């Protein structure tokens, strides 16, 4: 379970990057956060991972305050970053092995890694190839595998579909649905309204640091999500 | 947890291009420098053998005690192959005089066969090692954090149960472990070269010193790794980090050591040796006047008109030898020596404070340089190593102390046997065969022209006792303590800097 309570962030003397975010993502729920560039999505993830200090409020992972117990909270969260580079001179399997061990899974075998990589749709011949020869999408899949292997109850994804081909993106959605069925809380930032419509249980729209709208699946299926999103964005343009 | 990071970094490092470049650098540089050093050492051994033979031959030929001026030849320090240190600045010969304490040796420490080649810039193992290792340590550590940052792996790592300090320790250990094979390889290579040279014999204790050198080098590498780590945690990009690291390298390894010795010279002024020499010469002149007066006084006392010599020869430091001279002249010289040698010794005692003041000035200057060197890890290493390789200024000063002590024992020997007052001090002739002045004038000085040389078996000989390993360790202790202290400071600094590192 992920919780944000009045979570606020201001970088140096700039405007608020995140303005009193209140949000709760339950077990077995997929939450999609939409928003223009610079809206504050990555900032939210950074706050959950305690990569940055909140200016106010708090972020909880499975009830653990991430600023109070940063290390402990990391046990319960996996993270897929925007642009996964990984160690270029390691093979996919070596990268998995390293991060699995950091993630508290020291006893996995080669076969376990292979199985997981197959699951995310990575071609067999890539398993023992150096990551530096990988395309962006292939790296992204390895990054996803790392998150899956950690098997944490909460998963934070920052635009994971960027760079994936449509088939891979669809496969990723399927994986997320499977993870949700296992009871995991999934928080995904994206620009991909289409995917949101497909699998999200709830969708939020963020604008200039404020969560301006949250709709449940039933609600956003009634209205056209794309239209809602555009309306919010338009307002912003007009305001400016 | 730490161990996984260590292993990862070790594997990534040893299969990297920079590792291969590092190994290649060592393969090129180490054999070259070590063989040059070995060559030079062999040369020193040859010079030593020649000098030693000459000095022994000279001693064997003396027939009177006033000619006893032993020349001490310093055996070339085998560990000088690894680090030359002071031995390349000072000579290898010390002649023992009565009228002056030995201050600096004369002669060549290392001469190449061809003097025209003397300007050849010859490095030694430790100097090369200190350059290469510091460079490699920085090259391996400048992107310790920036690289992980740039590849996004830093965020991925810290999305796990990994603390910043264990991460830092793991990374630093990883780099250190990856540099160890290179360091080991360098030592192995140079050791092989030394072992395979038949002329060079290292004692077991010398090998222990080499092993300690190895440990010092690890510490030295660590300092530069930590320096790179701080830089890497301080800046945002690898390109900035490499520029800063190289600036640090140039500063700490080249600029500071050079400016350090320059600064110490301008901060602590020393007397010119020419001035010192002048005051010493003044004392010599003063003595000369006294001796002149004494000649007249003794002649008067002996009722002599003048001195008549036969087969007389003289030389430096009161050496005078004659035979066949009339007994009156002989007695004159005996009385002169009885008076003059103690006076000459007392003049040496008076000259010593002047020499000592000059030496103290030099030492102060050197201390200043040493104090300034605390700002450069490579200088600290070199200082510590010089003690271990018995090539430090302390070793040199101890050696000179030993030579002065030896002079003291020699003087005591001469005094105890009242040799100044004896005829044998200046004539090999048996006093019973001295001729009278009247006979001498008649040309009746029938004396043998062959005399036995002195039996010097009982004359004390000089034994050079090089610093024992515990003395060397004690000498190098401050250096090592400084390196450890710097490591601790840098490590704490890198923790502080990295704790404030923004993971966004
Ligand atoms: N390190 C930083 N220092 C200062 N300001 C920052 C920093 N990171 C983000 N910001 C600001 O915070 C705001 C939110 O940025 P954030 O990265 O969260 O946006 P985002 O929603 O993830 O955008 P995108 O869709 O482009 O990834 C932006 O105005 C940005 O300029
Ligand atoms: Mg973002």
């Amino acid at each position: 379970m992920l919780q944000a309570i009045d979570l606020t962030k201001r970088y140096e003397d700039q405007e608020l990057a995140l303005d009193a975010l209140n949000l709760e993502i339950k077990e077995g729920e997929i939450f999609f956060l939409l928003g223009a560039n610079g809206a504050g999505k990555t900032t939210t993830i950074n706050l959950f991972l305690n990569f940055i200090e909140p200016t106010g409020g708090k972020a909880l992972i499975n009830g653990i305050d991430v600023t109070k117990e940063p290390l402990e909270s990391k046990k319960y969260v996996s993270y897929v970053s925007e642009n996964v580079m990984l160690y270029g001179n390691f093979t996919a399997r070596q990268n998995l092995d390293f991060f699995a061990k950091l993630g508290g899974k020291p006893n996995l075998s080669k076969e376990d890694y292979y199985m997981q990589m197959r699951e995310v749709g990575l071609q067999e011949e890539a398993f023992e190839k150096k990551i530096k020869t990988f395309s962006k999408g292939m790296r992204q899949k390895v990054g996803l595998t790392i998150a899956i292997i950690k098997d944490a109850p909460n998963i934070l994804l920052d635009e994971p579909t960027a760079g994936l081909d449509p088939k891979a993106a669809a496969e990723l959605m399927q994986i997320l649905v499977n993870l949700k069925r296992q009871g995991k809380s999934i928080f995904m930032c994206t620009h991909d309204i289409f995917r949101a419509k497909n699998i999200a249980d709830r969708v939020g729209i963020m604008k200039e640091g404020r969560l301006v709208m949250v709709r449940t699946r039933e609600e956003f299926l009634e209205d056209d999500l794309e239209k809602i999103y555009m309306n919010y964005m338009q307002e912003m343009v007009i305001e400016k | 947890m730490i161990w996984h990071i260590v292993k990862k970094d070790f594997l990534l490092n040893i299969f990297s291009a920079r590792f291969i470049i590092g190994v290649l650098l060592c393969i090129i540089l180490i054999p070259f420098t070590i063989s040059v050093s070995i060559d030079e050492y062999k040369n020193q051994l040859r010079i030593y053998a020649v000098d030693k033979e000459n000095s022994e031959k000279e001693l064997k030929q003396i027939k009177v005690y006033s000619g006893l001026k032993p020349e001490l030849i310093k055996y070339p320090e085998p560990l000088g192959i690894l680090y030359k240190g002071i031995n390349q600045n000072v000579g290898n010969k010390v002649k023992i005089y009565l009228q002056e304490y030995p201050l600096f040796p004369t002669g060549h420490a290392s001469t190449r066969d061809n003097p025209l080649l003397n300007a050849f810039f010859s490095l030694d193992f430790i100097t090369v090692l200190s350059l290469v290792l510091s460079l490699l340590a920085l090259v391996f550590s400048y992107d310790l954090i920036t690289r992980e940052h740039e590849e996004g792996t830093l965020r991925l790592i810290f999305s796990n149960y990994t603390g910043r300090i264990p991460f830092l320790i793991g990374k630093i250990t990883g780099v250190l472990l990856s540099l160890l094979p290179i360091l080991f390889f360098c030592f192995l290579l140079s050791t092989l070269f030394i072992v395979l040279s038949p002329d060079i014999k290292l004692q077991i204790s010398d090998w222990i010193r080499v092993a300690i050198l190895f440990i010092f080098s690890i510490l030295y590498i660590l300092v530069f790794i930590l320096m790179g780590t701080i830089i890497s945690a301080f800046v945002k990009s690898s390109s900035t980090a490499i520029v800063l690291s190289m600036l640090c390298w140039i500063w700490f390894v080249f600029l500071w050591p050079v400016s350090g010795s320059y600064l110490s010279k301008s901060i602590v002024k020393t007397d010119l040796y020419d001035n010192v020499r002048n005051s010493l010469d003044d004392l010599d002149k003063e003595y000369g006047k006294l001796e002149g007066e004494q000649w007249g006084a003794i002649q008067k006392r002996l009722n002599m008109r003048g001195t008549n010599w036969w087969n007389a020869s003289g030389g430096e430091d009161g050496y005078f030898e004659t035979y066949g001279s009339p007994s009156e002249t002989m007695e004159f010289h005996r009385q002169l020596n009885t008076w003059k040698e103690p006076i000459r010794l007392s003049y040496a005692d008076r000259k010593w404070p002047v020499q000592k003041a000059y030496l103290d000035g030099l030492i102060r200057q050197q201390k200043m340089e040493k104090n300034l060197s605390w700002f450069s890890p490579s200088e600290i290493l070199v200082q510590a190593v010089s003690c271990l390789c018995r090539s430090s200024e302390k070793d040199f000063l101890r050696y000179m102390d030993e030579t002065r002590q030896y002079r003291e024992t020699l003087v005591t020997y001469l005094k105890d046997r009242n040799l100044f007052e004896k005829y044998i001090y200046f004539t090999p002739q048996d006093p019973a065969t001295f001729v009278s002045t009247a006979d001498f004038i008649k040309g009746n000085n029938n004396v043998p022209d062959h005399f036995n040389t002195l039996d010097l078996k009982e004359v004390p000989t000089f034994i050079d006792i090089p610093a024992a390993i515990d003395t060397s360790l004690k000498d190098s202790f401050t250096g090592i303590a400084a390196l450890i202290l710097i490591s601790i400071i840098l490590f704490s600094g890198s923790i502080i800097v990295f704790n404030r590192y923004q993971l966004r």
Side-chain angles (χ1 to χ4, degrees):
Chain A
M1 189 173 66
L2 297 162
Q3 274 170 293
I5 302 166
D6 288 332
L7 194 59
T8 305
K9 176 67 187 179
R10 186 192 293 278
Y11 289 106
E12 281 91 50
D13 324 303
Q14 298 170 13
E15 282 182 37
L16 285 176
L18 192 65
D19 190 355
L21 174 72
N22 281 291
L23 186 67
E24 188 178 315
I25 300 153
K26 295 200 174 53
E27 284 102 54
E29 184 182 24
I30 300 182
F31 186 94
F32 271 47
L33 187 61
L34 301 174
N37 296 122
K41 303 183 296 294
T42 303
T43 301
T44 309
I45 288 192
N46 282 349
L47 284 165
F48 269 111
L49 290 169
N50 196 40
F51 287 167
I52 50 178
E53 288 276 312
T55 317
K58 50 185 166 182
L60 306 175
I61 292 176
N62 273 18
I64 301 167
D65 188 333
V66 300
T67 50
K68 291 204 179 111
E69 287 175 80
L71 275 186
E72 186 63 21
S73 69
K74 302 284 170 68
K75 283 185 181 169
Y76 305 100
V77 64
S78 334
Y79 165 61
V80 180
S81 77
E82 240 173 307
N83 193 4
V84 191
M85 295 288 284
L86 303 172
Y87 299 111
N89 277 331
F90 269 179
T91 65
R93 204 234 334 135
Q94 281 175 305
N95 269 290
L96 278 187
D97 187 50
F98 172 66
F99 283 107
K101 280 170 177 152
L102 282 195
K105 294 277 178 296
N107 300 321
L108 296 180
S109 69
K110 211 186 240 184
E111 274 315 308
D112 295 323
Y113 298 134
Y114 285 176
M115 203 185 71
Q116 289 297 344
M117 283 193 276
R118 251 177 242 127
E119 206 107 307
V120 298
L122 209 62
Q123 304 98 307
E124 201 90 15
E125 61 267 23
F127 294 176
E128 295 295 343
K129 266 200 190 138
K130 286 192 175 167
I131 287 277
K132 65 180 170 196
T133 65
F134 278 30
S135 71
K136 189 181 173 199
M138 286 160 80
R139 280 204 311 268
Q140 205 75 14
K141 285 177 185 170
V142 179
L144 190 66
T145 318
I146 290 172
I148 294 170
I149 282 180
K150 187 173 175 185
D151 195 25
N154 302 284
I155 304 172
L156 305 172
L157 302 101
D158 199 347
E159 296 177 31
T161 47
L164 289 190
D165 61 58
K167 181 170 163 280
E171 279 165 2
L172 170 63
M173 292 310 120
Q174 191 50 53
I175 291 166
L176 291 184
V177 170
N178 290 344
L179 290 169
K180 161 199 154 130
R181 290 207 182 105
Q182 291 167 29
K184 304 202 185 293
S185 314
I186 295 166
F187 178 86
M188 174 164 149
C189 303
T190 187
H191 298 293
D192 197 338
I193 299 174
F194 175 66
R195 304 289 170 202
K197 234 171 4 190
N198 273 352
I199 66 162
D201 293 312
R202 272 194 302 160
V203 170
I205 294 178
M206 188 166 265
K207 204 179 111 183
E208 291 169 353
R210 281 193 306 275
L211 187 61
V212 289
M213 182 221 85
V214 178
R215 297 272 160 95
T216 61
R217 185 160 191 87
E218 295 78 42
E219 288 167 347
F220 70 68
L221 283 182
E222 259 169 47
D223 305 322
D224 185 11
L225 184 59
E226 205 152 357
K227 223 178 243 165
I228 303 171
Y229 181 77
M230 283 310 172
N231 278 343
Y232 276 105
M233 293 306 116
Q234 223 101 52
E235 270 171 45
M236 186 167 76
V237 174
I238 293 163
E239 270 172 35
K240 280 202 172 160
Chain B
M1 182 63 61
I2 293 179
W3 180 240
H4 298 315
I5 293 167
V6 173
K7 193 177 135 196
K8 180 215 73 169
D9 267 39
F10 179 75
L11 287 176
L12 283 175
N13 279 333
I14 61 165
F15 291 113
S16 66
R18 44 188 157 182
F19 185 83
I20 295 162
I21 291 170
V23 171
L24 284 179
L25 204 63
C26 295
I27 291 184
I28 295 165
L29 286 176
I30 300 300
F32 172 70
T33 40
I34 204 87
S35 49
V36 168
S37 297
I38 288 179
D39 202 45
E40 280 186 359
Y41 182 70
K42 285 183 181 163
N43 227 333
Q44 287 173 25
L45 279 180
R46 269 200 295 278
I47 292 170
Y48 170 80
V50 171
D51 287 345
K52 187 84 186 165
E53 200 190 320
N54 284 342
S55 118
E56 276 166 4
K57 206 153 71 193
E58 221 167 86
L59 264 190
K60 270 184 202 137
Q61 282 164 356
I62 61 163
K63 302 187 183 90
V64 294
Y65 279 98
S66 67
L68 178 62
K69 317 283 172 210
E71 189 170 43
L72 316 178
I73 315 291
K74 190 162 173 24
Y75 187 75
E77 174 55 54
L79 288 172
I81 296 170
L82 298 181
Y83 183 68
K84 289 192 199 107
I86 193 143
N87 298 332
Q88 64 185 344
N89 302 336
V90 294
N92 63 336
K93 290 185 234 177
V94 175
K95 198 145 186 163
I96 302 297
Y97 291 127
L98 294 187
Q99 71 185 16
E100 202 163 302
Y101 287 57
L103 188 66
F104 277 104
T106 55
H108 295 286
S110 67
T111 341
R112 302 186 64 79
D113 298 328
N114 180 352
L116 299 177
L117 286 177
N118 238 346
F120 178 76
F121 183 55
S122 65
L123 289 164
D124 49 47
F125 176 67
I126 289 294
T127 311
V128 169
L129 209 62
S130 76
L131 295 179
V132 173
L133 290 181
S134 52
L135 182 65
L136 285 182
L138 284 173
V139 163
F140 272 75
S141 61
Y142 78 93
D143 62 352
L144 197 81
I145 287 153
T146 50
R147 189 174 182 146
E148 300 253 11
H149 174 75
E150 280 155 2
E151 304 203 324
T153 40
L154 201 57
R155 288 164 63 90
L156 207 49
I157 286 173
F158 286 114
S159 71
N160 288 301
Y161 190 85
T162 311
R164 290 195 177 201
I165 295 174
F167 170 77
L168 212 52
I169 295 175
K171 293 285 292 182
I172 292 166
T173 317
V175 176
L176 190 61
L177 282 188
S178 355
L179 283 172
L180 276 191
I182 297 183
L183 180 66
F184 186 75
F185 178 66
C186 289
F187 270 82
L188 191 75
L189 220 59
S190 52
T191 307
L192 271 180
F193 268 82
I194 293 175
V195 169
L196 294 180
S197 304
D199 302 342
I200 300 159
K201 285 179 197 73
L202 290 193
Q203 312 287 317
I204 294 189
S205 71
D206 292 336
W207 287 117
I208 295 174
R209 284 164 191 265
V210 174
I212 298 171
L213 266 184
F214 184 76
I215 296 169
F216 283 9
S217 313
I218 297 177
L219 205 54
Y220 176 70
I221 295 179
L222 181 65
V223 167
F224 277 92
I225 292 176
L226 289 168
M227 205 183 278
T229 308
I230 287 206
I231 292 171
S232 200
F234 195 72
V235 301
K236 277 279 156 308
S237 74
S238 297
S239 44
T240 320
I242 185 84
V243 172
L244 270 182
S245 298
M246 288 306 103
L247 285 179
C248 275
W249 187 64
I250 291 172
W251 172 254
F252 285 118
V253 177
F254 292 104
L255 292 184
W256 184 256
V258 172
S259 39
S261 74
Y262 174 77
L263 271 178
S264 67
K265 268 187 208 135
S266 53
I267 296 172
V268 180
K269 297 270 181 237
T270 58
D271 213 351
L272 281 176
Y273 186 70
D274 283 350
N275 290 341
V276 176
R277 195 63 255 172
N278 282 342
S279 351
L280 298 181
D281 290 347
D282 284 349
L283 283 167
D284 281 342
K285 270 182 213 138
E286 189 184 314
Y287 163 77
K289 242 174 80 193
L290 283 184
E291 190 187 315
E293 288 164 18
Q294 197 62 28
W295 275 55
I298 296 174
Q299 285 184 352
K300 214 166 160 190
R301 198 160 69 219
L302 293 175
N303 262 327
M304 288 168 72
R305 290 251 176 74
T307 31
N308 297 295
W309 290 303
W310 185 256
N311 282 321
S313 52
E316 49 179 9
D317 191 43
Y319 164 61
F320 176 77
E321 185 174 346
T322 179
Y323 62 87
S325 300
S327 57
E328 205 176 35
T329 300
M330 294 294 198
E331 180 57 19
F332 165 81
H333 275 292
R334 198 190 64 77
Q335 290 197 17
L336 181 67
N337 283 335
T338 312
W339 170 83
K340 123 184 162 169
E341 292 307 275
I343 302 290
R344 285 204 312 128
L345 286 172
S346 75
Y347 265 87
D349 292 342
R350 280 177 63 187
K351 278 149 91 179
W352 173 238
V354 180
Q355 295 172 291
K356 179 91 168 71
Y358 172 68
L359 185 64
D360 285 345
L362 297 185
I363 293 173
R364 265 200 308 282
Q365 207 169 57
Q366 191 273 335
K367 284 236 167 77
M368 173 57 73
E369 187 187 39
K370 197 168 178 174
N371 288 339
L372 290 172
S373 79
W374 296 135
F375 294 99
S376 161
S378 61
E379 278 297 283
I380 298 177
L381 175 81
V382 156
Q383 305 257 1
V385 163
S386 69
C387 299
L388 262 188
C389 290
R390 287 187 292 240
S391 315
S392 72
E393 83 291 341
K394 281 194 181 124
D395 292 291
F396 168 71
L397 293 174
R398 267 196 294 262
Y399 176 77
M400 289 315 292
D401 272 338
E402 280 175 20
T403 64
R404 285 188 286 270
Q405 263 158 32
Y406 171 67
R407 176 182 171 278
E408 224 37 62
T409 26
L410 196 67
V411 167
T412 314
Y413 173 85
L414 295 171
K415 275 185 184 163
D416 284 355
R417 282 164 182 69
N418 298 322
L419 284 167
F420 300 150
E421 298 152 32
K422 296 213 166 123
Y423 289 108
I424 190 68
Y425 197 68
F426 64 95
T427 177
Q429 197 181 339
D430 179 2
T433 64
F434 289 169
V435 293
S436 69
T437 310
D439 284 347
F440 179 79
I441 290 166
K442 278 185 220 150
N444 241 349
N445 59 341
N446 235 350
V447 284
D449 51 9
H450 174 80
F451 296 100
N452 284 336
T453 55
L454 285 181
D455 177 13
L456 296 175
K457 248 183 246 134
E458 293 196 354
V459 174
T461 48
F462 176 71
I463 301 160
D464 176 18
I465 307 162
I469 198 154
D470 54 327
T471 314
S472 299
L473 277 178
K474 232 178 274 162
D475 288 351
S476 56
F477 176 76
T478 39
I480 287 320
L483 281 186
I484 293 174
L485 189 71
I486 292 176
S487 303
I488 293 172
I489 292 172
L490 287 179
F491 181 63
S492 322
S494 57
I495 288 178
I496 292 169
V497 174
F498 186 56
N499 263 331
R500 291 165 52 185
Y501 194 87
Q502 299 280 339
L503 282 170
R504 56 199 181 200

